[in-house]
Amino acid sequence: MSPTAQTTASTRRVVFPFTAIVGQEEMKLALLLNVIDPKIGGVMIMGDRGTGKSTTIRALADLLPEISVVANDPFNSDPHDPDVMSDEVRQMLQEGAEIPVVPKKVQMVDLPLGATEDRVCGTIDIEKALSEGVKAFEPGLLAKANRGILYVDEVNLLDDHLVDVLLDSAASGWNTVEREGISIRHPARFVLVGSGNPEEGELRPQLLDRFGMHAEIHTVKEPALRVQIVEQRSEFDQNPHTFLEQYQTQQEALQQKIVNAQTLLPKVTSDYDLRVKISEICSELDVDGLRGDIVTNRAAKALTAFEGRTEVTVDDIRRVITLCLRHRLRKDPLESIDSGYKVEKAFARVFGVELPENDTAQKNGTGQIKTGVR
């Protein structure tokens, strides 16, 4: 590590390492796959209070490798990719101007519950625009989140209109602000992560459907695991730097694995028969629209790339399909079967495989599946 990198590492806020997080495999897998392919469409994490949702998301952002950004650009513009580049930078490129580039840590932006639309989207100074004839734009949180992670805690308590704005930007990759006939747009491509507690109310089905994946997390019940988590946290709080050093090798290995997966992803292929069967499951479960089909295919490919392969297998689909479809099923208030288990049953039927006798989902209705992410 260079002296500069060491200085940066020592002055940066210490974050609990991602590889040290025990359990919650479903949430970890969903987050990793979205980082490998942001087009999956984000993750909605529903679960009990105090289950490490915020800790895991901060740990993921800290784990990610640095990205190249245009220096002093408020939108973290990519110097090479026009899709995540502001209009100003694109114009400079067309004019042949030299663009200064700096490395930057991937941003994780927290969206406060009381945030206004102006704070989220940014504002246009109309007075300055009219008097000086320039587009005076004050960037908001969406600008800061470009090429990073936007985290909304308690998303089910957020104003529906703001959730719509976030989901529109996440889907299109652009944020447009219009005031008094003046229009400004900037890139806003981010991984949208929402978390919530089911006790505080459900999201509207239309909004829930717009999240690519839906992870359910539960309080760890095993006493030995609970003790391990408590001891780890205590050790980290007492001496964070020493604790981080213990996991440095694992952190670097996982970071490299993510980078390799992002590079490999365009080469991953999925057999036509597998794609047909995914659509057959969506059809059988009466999933509205085609988002379920698209996201399941994307997630299976991302998992294949994460494991260093180029051919999607039936097992890849099995490991992601519940995450991709459980929140898209129509809710029947009189039904006691967990939606995750319904997805697994449909998968078993279409692919002609048997669900294991001791399947976690069968036992307790949590719909959890083993992910293989340690």
Side-chain angles (χ1 to χ4, degrees):
M1 193 185 274
S2 70
T4 317
Q6 277 180 329
T7 311
T8 312
S10 60
T11 53
R12 217 173 50 230
R13 183 176 154 222
V14 180
V15 177
F16 195 85
F18 188 85
T19 49
I21 293 165
V22 176
Q24 310 305 7
E25 304 298 334
E26 202 176 272
M27 167 172 64
K28 291 195 288 191
L29 180 70
L31 289 168
L32 284 169
L33 297 185
N34 270 274
V35 163
I36 291 164
D37 183 3
K39 288 181 180 170
I40 286 170
V43 194
M44 179 66 201
I45 302 164
M46 288 301 259
D48 310 326
R49 288 183 294 273
T51 43
K53 298 188 286 282
S54 303
T55 302
T56 307
I57 295 150
R58 283 194 180 85
L60 178 71
D62 189 65
L63 170 79
L64 297 177
E66 288 185 333
I67 52 173
S68 296
V69 301
V70 175
N72 304 316
D73 181 79
F75 311 111
N76 303 317
S77 290
D78 188 321
H80 311 295
D81 185 356
D83 284 345
V84 276
M85 189 187 285
S86 67
D87 292 338
E88 290 81 1
V89 174
R90 196 181 290 110
Q91 196 174 337
M92 284 166 67
L93 269 180
Q94 285 167 355
E95 289 167 0
E98 195 174 320
I99 293 174
V101 177
V102 292
K104 188 176 183 179
K105 206 65 189 135
V106 169
Q107 294 270 82
M108 181 205 149
V109 178
D110 256 312
L111 186 84
L113 265 183
T116 59
E117 190 179 343
D118 282 352
R119 176 84 183 92
V120 173
C121 300
T123 54
I124 298 171
D125 187 337
I126 301 295
E127 198 176 316
K128 193 172 181 183
L130 294 173
S131 61
E132 297 176 29
V134 291
K135 288 184 176 181
F137 180 62
E138 186 62 45
L141 294 174
L142 292 182
K144 197 177 172 187
N146 187 38
R147 301 178 69 206
I149 297 170
L150 183 64
Y151 176 48
V152 189
D153 196 9
E154 309 295 359
V155 72
N156 39 356
L157 300 180
L158 196 67
D159 182 62
D160 277 352
H161 169 62
L162 268 186
V163 179
D164 272 329
V165 167
L166 293 178
L167 290 165
D168 283 341
S169 294
S172 67
W174 289 88
N175 171 44
T176 305
V177 182
E178 291 183 348
R179 298 280 186 280
E180 312 291 337
I182 297 170
S183 177
I184 287 178
R185 69 168 207 155
H186 67 77
R189 186 170 290 182
F190 48 82
V191 174
L192 180 63
V193 181
S195 72
N197 184 340
E199 291 172 13
E200 280 149 2
E202 290 285 339
L203 264 183
R204 287 191 285 127
Q206 307 92 296
L207 294 180
L208 204 49
D209 175 64
R210 299 272 294 279
F211 280 91
M213 300 176 104
H214 184 282
E216 285 182 4
I217 56 173
H218 305 267
T219 306
V220 175
K221 296 283 187 255
E222 272 180 67
L225 263 184
R226 289 172 78 114
V227 169
Q228 187 187 339
I229 293 165
V230 171
E231 285 177 351
Q232 265 191 340
R233 187 72 225 189
S234 171
E235 199 183 323
F236 173 76
D237 290 340
Q238 279 171 11
N239 199 335
H241 289 287
T242 308
F243 187 83
L244 275 180
E245 279 168 21
Q246 293 173 32
Y247 288 91
Q248 192 60 36
T249 311
Q250 288 164 264
Q251 289 280 100
E252 285 169 6
L254 182 54
Q255 187 186 82
Q256 192 55 50
K257 203 173 172 185
I258 292 168
V259 173
N260 294 346
Q262 287 169 334
T263 310
L264 187 62
L265 186 63
K267 298 174 189 151
V268 175
T269 57
S270 178
D271 193 72
Y272 177 74
D273 287 347
L274 295 182
R275 301 202 302 271
V276 168
K277 283 183 171 165
I278 287 170
S279 292
E280 201 179 316
I281 293 167
C282 293
S283 180
E284 190 177 305
L285 291 168
D286 205 17
V287 173
D288 289 332
L290 294 172
R291 272 203 193 99
D293 309 51
I294 293 166
V295 171
T296 307
N297 278 292
R298 279 194 177 282
K301 283 184 174 181
L303 177 58
T304 305
F306 181 60
E307 297 193 339
R309 295 177 282 107
T310 53
E311 278 286 328
V312 173
T313 66
V314 174
D315 193 55
D316 295 326
I317 297 166
R318 180 189 67 78
R319 284 160 62 189
V320 300
I321 198 160
T322 304
L323 286 162
C324 299
L325 297 185
R326 66 148 66 92
H327 57 301
R328 303 178 197 279
L329 306 194
R330 291 179 183 177
K331 293 269 191 297
D332 182 347
L334 302 174
E335 205 167 52
S336 59
I337 297 176
D338 175 77
S339 55
Y341 183 50
K342 279 171 78 176
V343 175
E344 287 186 25
K345 265 174 64 180
F347 171 85
R349 223 170 15 251
V350 169
F351 278 91
V353 295
E354 279 186 38
L355 282 177
E357 284 292 316
N358 61 346
D359 198 296
T360 319
Q362 213 163 357
K363 271 189 186 172
N364 60 20
T366 62
Q368 286 186 308
I369 42 178
K370 299 237 182 286
T371 62
V373 179
R374 289 283 169 266

